[in-house]
Amino acid sequence: MFQKKLFFIMLTAVFLGCTQTKDPVEGKIDELLSKMTLQEKIGQMNQLTGTGLSNDMVSQIKSGKVGSILNELDLKTTNELQRLAVKESRLGIPIIFARDVIHGFKTIFPIPLGQAATWNPQLVESGARVAAKEATATGIRWTFAPMIDIARDPRWGRIAESCGEDPYLTSQMGAAMIRGFQGKNLSDPTSLAACAKHFAGYGATESGKDYNTTWIPELQLRDVYLPPFKVAVETGVASFMCSFNDINGVPSSGNEFLNRQILRKEWNYSGLLVSDWASIEQMIKHGVCTDLKDAARKALKAGVDMDMMSYAYINQAEGLVKSGAISEKQIDDAVRNILRLKFRLGLFDHPYIKEQAKMPFYTEDALRKAKQAVIESAILLKNEKDILPLTDAIKSVAVIGPLSDAPADQLGTWCFDAEPSHSVTPLAAIKNSYGAKVKVITEKGLTYSRDRSPQGIAKAVNAAKKADVILLFVGEEAVLSGEAHCRADICLPGAQPELVTALKKTGKPVVMIVMAGRPLTIGKQVEEADAVLYAFQGGTMAGPGLADLIFGKAVPSGKLPVTLPRMVGQVPIYYAHKMTGRPAEKICLIDNIPVGAAQTSLGNTSYHLDAGDSPLFPFGFGLSYTSFNYSSVKISKNKMSEGQTLDVTCNITNAGKYDGAEVAQLYIRDVVGSLARPVRELKGFQKINLKAGETKTVRFTLTSDQLAFWNADMVKRTEPGEFQVWISTDSQSGKPVTFNYI
Ligand code: BGC
């Protein structure tokens, strides 16, 4: 009996042993690694920006000193650089070419924040696939996207690149982008390796100023900032990038806790970790390293595999190994991660990119998907007297505003490779598609978003007087958001507020379309306008998508992926906040306080005297041309315990005249916890199409794990007690039902 058991154990061990060494890629990596000199290994860890076929680049490649090149865009040059690596370096290891392909390469989709507003992961995935097909045709096989930093501060310019404030929505959107970029198989020549960035906490930057310090308690880090990155690992993301910021004094490029403990040990991640641009060197400026050698040592110890543009590894790593400060095993581990990606991408077998007679840019399919993304990313915030969609009674429109015909600005931030000449602006689209139906009067008023010219406003008013409806395209130029483009005041720039007021005074209905890179504080303008569509920056097809919404060929279905504040001083303001011990009650705003009122007269609750306690519009909000009625929520049982699931359902009826799509949102609240918990947390969403008059049942399955949070002992646990659950149209409405976790 015992012998039989032993035999079985041995057999299992042999079998496991075989399966473990079976992965052919690991074998190939070992074989290659065994042939590499220390310098060649360090060369693989060096990423440089493209300098064409410069003598320096050529000689570095030939001597095996370059593992990756970013920003090389000429296909002939790329192939020649690759040939040098493959044919003229000693070991012939191919280079991986990288680029920031963020929301499109040639065909530009809405900025990521706009894509998140679609709440449609399939559509977002298809957008990333389009970007991958276009970018890989020029030799790029690695993109530095998606950016899945949680962004709760609209002053931060990079909120444009984010999927907004919520960990769940960001996780879903990030995963969709990863699937789209990477395709079914990384070795497919149209697959782009994705990069989950920036690891981590970059969005918590103090005062919304880029690169600034962050203070993030471990609990909050794990509960809010890390979940999208963990989902990225589970989705199979090929690479990670360190963030620029320090967390509690430790810059990410030297953060062993983040990069080794969490990423490698807890999440078992075996992909590549690249620094951000010169972020290793910048640890000197942060004041945590004495010199480049110290910075290289810290980054290597923290497990950063590849050095983007610090020249720290290439110049310092060898000395560090020789002095014993860093072991050669640490170098080997980094090189393994780099070679693994190169093998997975098939670069050893197919290092070159075929030149195509006709580049696969701006295909009909790509433009159609980009337009659909515009349609689904626009959020209808207001629609007084159902002014939208415009009816046949409207015979003339005045197209006004700095964003009405701004081909470059509608593309948004981070599109180095885009060609504004391919942008279809709102003005062009309205003229082309609806010009036969309505007379189009045009006058920009302000020529760009910061323009303050009073003459422009006067001209716009004159034009508006001649039309039945004003279509006013306001917002921000592309350059006002994105990396290092932060604002302390997030109002509509320039004289745009005056433009809105002046147009309102004409008495004509004002339809305001906001094309911006962030949430703007537009309370007054929302009051003045009759209808408001918040469109972010929609990319190449912004015009046709918006025109179809305005004229009713499409129905809005976008929902806010981020809270719109009334005033910048409310920031950070997000729906998943905690309750204070003195929640806001009987809000008395500043102008209503009686002169000479006693200090305690307002009741001592939590709100701002000038802004109150509510946002302008909450997370998840978005109207439609039709209306949706939610029935009360039903749950499959009122008690659940570990390992169990709970079905949550409700009926949604399209009670209006138009067919439309609604995003049903599932929220929970842990009513009493060992730690105070958010008033609501998003745990699921479904976008459903409903014909006018149609009713559908939405069903969510909540698992006990989804109720868990990180407690004070740093353990993720679901605590017994009462929970509330909602299915609602946004983060503030709906009635919850209650169940108990036992
Ligand atoms: C940004 C990254 C980007 C990198 C390479 C950095 O400045 O922070 O997001 O991927 O540059 O362009």
Side-chain angles (χ1 to χ4, degrees), residues 70 100 144 158 197-198 202 241 244 276-277 308 414 483:
L70 73 157
D100 291 276
F144 301 125
R158 297 197 88 166
K197 76 185 190 185
H198 306 83
Y202 189 28
M241 183 188 288
F244 281 126
D276 203 341
W277 184 288
M308 181 197 292
W414 272 124
E483 184 175 350

Coordinates of all heavy atoms in Angstrom, one line a residue, residues 70 100 144 158 197-198 202 241 244 276-277 308 414 483, ligand 1:
L70 N 12.3 53.5 -28.1 CA 11.0 54.1 -28.1 C 11.0 55.3 -29.1 O 12.1 55.9 -29.3 CB 10.5 54.5 -26.8 CG 11.0 55.7 -26.0 CD1 9.9 56.2 -25.0 CD2 12.3 55.4 -25.3
D100 N 4.1 55.6 -27.3 CA 2.8 55.8 -26.5 C 1.7 55.9 -27.5 O 1.5 56.9 -28.2 CB 2.9 57.2 -25.8 CG 3.9 57.1 -24.7 OD1 3.6 56.7 -23.6 OD2 5.1 57.5 -24.9
F144 N 2.8 52.1 -24.4 CA 2.7 52.4 -23.0 C 1.3 52.8 -22.6 O 1.0 54.0 -22.3 CB 3.7 53.5 -22.6 CG 5.2 53.2 -23.0 CD1 5.9 54.0 -23.9 CD2 5.7 52.0 -22.5 CE1 7.2 53.6 -24.2 CE2 7.0 51.7 -22.9 CZ 7.8 52.5 -23.7
R158 N -3.4 64.8 -16.3 CA -3.4 63.4 -16.8 C -4.7 62.7 -16.5 O -4.9 61.5 -16.9 CB -2.2 62.6 -16.3 CG -0.9 63.2 -16.8 CD 0.3 62.3 -16.6 NE 0.4 61.4 -17.8 CZ 1.5 60.7 -18.1 NH1 2.5 60.7 -17.3 NH2 1.6 60.0 -19.2
K197 N 0.1 51.3 -16.5 CA 0.9 52.4 -15.9 C -0.1 53.3 -15.2 O -1.3 53.3 -15.5 CB 1.7 53.1 -17.0 CG 0.9 54.0 -17.9 CD 1.8 54.6 -19.0 CE 1.1 55.7 -19.8 NZ 1.8 56.2 -20.9
H198 N 0.4 54.1 -14.3 CA 1.8 54.1 -13.7 C 1.7 53.5 -12.4 O 0.9 54.0 -11.5 CB 2.3 55.6 -13.7 CG 2.2 56.3 -15.0 ND1 1.0 56.9 -15.5 CD2 3.1 56.5 -16.0 CE1 1.2 57.5 -16.6 NE2 2.4 57.2 -17.0
Y202 N 0.0 57.4 -8.8 CA 0.3 58.7 -9.5 C -0.8 59.7 -9.5 O -0.6 60.9 -9.4 CB 0.7 58.3 -10.9 CG 1.3 59.3 -11.9 CD1 2.1 60.4 -11.4 CD2 1.1 59.2 -13.2 CE1 2.6 61.3 -12.3 CE2 1.7 60.1 -14.1 CZ 2.5 61.1 -13.6 OH 3.0 62.0 -14.5
M241 N 4.7 49.8 -15.9 CA 5.6 51.0 -15.8 C 5.5 51.6 -14.4 O 4.4 51.8 -13.9 CB 5.2 52.0 -16.9 CG 6.2 53.2 -16.9 SD 5.6 54.6 -18.0 CE 5.9 53.9 -19.6
F244 N 6.1 58.2 -11.6 CA 7.1 59.2 -11.3 C 7.1 59.6 -9.8 O 8.1 60.0 -9.2 CB 6.8 60.5 -12.1 CG 7.3 60.5 -13.5 CD1 6.4 60.8 -14.5 CD2 8.6 60.3 -13.8 CE1 6.8 60.9 -15.8 CE2 9.0 60.3 -15.2 CZ 8.1 60.6 -16.2
D276 N 9.7 54.8 -15.7 CA 9.2 55.9 -16.6 C 10.4 56.7 -17.1 O 11.5 56.4 -16.7 CB 8.2 56.8 -15.8 CG 7.2 57.5 -16.8 OD1 7.6 57.6 -18.0 OD2 6.2 58.0 -16.4
W277 N 10.1 57.6 -17.9 CA 11.2 58.3 -18.6 C 12.1 59.0 -17.6 O 11.7 59.9 -16.9 CB 10.6 59.4 -19.5 CG 11.6 60.2 -20.4 CD1 12.5 61.1 -19.9 CD2 11.8 60.0 -21.8 NE1 13.2 61.6 -21.0 CE2 12.8 61.0 -22.1 CE3 11.2 59.3 -22.8 CZ2 13.3 61.1 -23.4 CZ3 11.7 59.5 -24.1 CH2 12.7 60.4 -24.4
M308 N 14.3 53.3 -18.7 CA 13.9 54.2 -19.9 C 14.6 55.5 -19.7 O 14.3 56.3 -18.8 CB 12.4 54.4 -19.9 CG 11.9 55.3 -21.1 SD 10.2 55.9 -20.9 CE 9.2 54.5 -21.0
W414 N -1.9 63.5 -26.1 CA -1.2 62.3 -26.4 C -1.6 61.7 -27.7 O -2.1 60.5 -27.8 CB -1.5 61.2 -25.3 CG -0.6 61.1 -24.2 CD1 -1.0 61.2 -22.9 CD2 0.8 60.9 -24.1 NE1 0.0 61.1 -22.0 CE2 1.2 60.9 -22.8 CE3 1.8 60.8 -25.1 CZ2 2.5 60.8 -22.3 CZ3 3.1 60.6 -24.7 CH2 3.4 60.6 -23.3
E483 N 0.0 65.2 -19.8 CA 1.1 65.2 -18.9 C 1.7 66.6 -18.7 O 1.9 67.4 -19.7 CB 2.2 64.3 -19.5 CG 3.4 64.2 -18.5 CD 4.5 63.2 -18.9 OE1 4.3 62.5 -19.9 OE2 5.6 63.2 -18.3
Ligands
BGC1 C1 5.2 59.5 -19.3 C2 4.8 58.0 -19.6 C3 5.2 57.8 -21.1 C4 6.7 58.0 -21.2 C5 7.2 57.7 -22.6 C6 6.6 59.8 -19.6 O1 6.9 61.1 -19.5 O2 4.9 59.7 -17.9 O3 3.4 57.8 -19.4 O4 4.9 56.4 -21.4 O5 6.9 59.4 -20.9 O6 6.8 58.6 -23.5

